[in-house]
Amino acid sequence: MEGDLFSGLSNGNQVDGKVLQTFQKSFVQVQDILDQNRVLINEINQNHESKIPDNLTRNVGLIKELNNNIRRVVDLYADLSSNFTRSMEPSSEGESSGILKSNGKANSKRIRSGIPHDVHCTLGWTVVG
């Protein structure tokens, strides 16, 4: 899946490899955090269902960790958004530093974010298209 993440961008387009590397690294970090959150949520649910006082007390720390992870995901997506916007801005030479069509003109085609649907839902975003 990781290798396919940006394969749609490179079809007939010139793509800055460093930009793609940065995006891919960020998406991998996000996915790792989301996987960790899944484990935390399962443990929180099990502790809650057990109703054992020590387990319920442990949930306080687990929920704090979960909230911190969600903040990290939001920060990573904010950085991704900023980096993507910067990569699409024209450089001083009048060219796009991001994605170009093979004829050298900027690509105006809408690119899907690649953000997993569950992240959109977790963050309360509306999925369009």
Side-chain angles (χ1 to χ4, degrees), residues 46-58:
Q46 289 172 357
N47 289 345
H48 182 73
E49 289 171 4
S50 76
K51 299 193 186 329
I52 297 171
D54 288 343
N55 289 351
L56 295 174
T57 301
R58 178 165 163 67

Side-chain angles (χ1 to χ4, degrees), residues 8-9 11 13 84 88 99 101 105-112:
L9 296 180
N11 282 342
N13 297 323
F84 182 76
M88 297 305 291
I99 300 170
K101 290 183 178 179
K105 295 184 179 177
N107 188 355
S108 62
K109 181 180 176 185
R110 181 172 176 251
I111 301 171
R112 297 191 64 144

Side-chain angles (χ1 to χ4, degrees), residues 24-64:
Q24 188 165 14
K25 179 182 174 190
S26 295
F27 282 124
V28 168
Q29 286 177 310
V30 166
Q31 190 59 55
D32 289 344
I33 295 169
L34 293 176
D35 292 341
Q36 184 181 11
N37 285 356
R38 186 177 298 112
V39 171
L40 287 170
I41 290 168
N42 286 336
E43 186 174 349
I44 290 167
N45 285 335
Q46 289 172 357
N47 289 345
H48 182 73
E49 289 171 4
S50 76
K51 299 193 186 329
I52 297 171
D54 288 343
N55 289 351
L56 295 174
T57 301
R58 178 165 163 67
N59 273 359
V60 173
L62 294 174
I63 291 169
K64 286 180 182 178

